[in-house]
Amino acid sequence: MARAASKQPTDGELEILKILWDSGPAGLGQIHLVLHDRRGVAITTVATMLKMMLAKELVERGNGPRGYLWKAQIGRAHV
């Protein structure tokens, strides 16, 4: 039987949340630059993680001047 999906962030998702908490709303490219320096992840991986986080209601997505802006939907104290 499959395990129920968790609303808690994974370690990778927590890294993205920390970036968003520190910088405020950010675009995919900005988030990718920070993560790439730390872990060498591909931009497609970051995009997939953000989509999964959106489904978990960990982040919000809004329109920016050049694509989406991502924002943490939960605070540090909640996690």
Side-chain angles (χ1 to χ4, degrees):
M1 189 160 143
R3 184 172 61 167
S6 172
K7 290 274 189 174
Q8 289 297 321
T10 64
D11 291 341
E13 292 169 346
L14 188 57
E15 274 190 86
I16 291 175
L17 285 171
K18 287 178 183 176
I19 293 167
L20 295 174
W21 289 327
D22 292 341
S23 70
L28 173 61
Q30 183 181 353
I31 298 166
H32 172 252
L33 282 176
V34 175
L35 280 179
H36 188 268
D37 288 344
R38 293 181 189 171
R39 299 194 307 154
V41 297
I43 196 164
T44 53
T45 301
V46 178
T48 300
M49 290 173 67
L50 285 166
K51 286 180 198 171
M52 293 170 57
M53 292 172 72
L54 186 63
K56 288 181 171 183
E57 298 179 350
L58 298 173
V59 295
E60 297 174 359
R61 181 178 68 187
N63 291 323
R66 297 183 65 190
Y68 293 125
L69 283 180
W70 297 89
K71 175 182 161 190
Q73 190 170 344
I74 59 170
R76 289 181 194 259
H78 187 274
V79 177

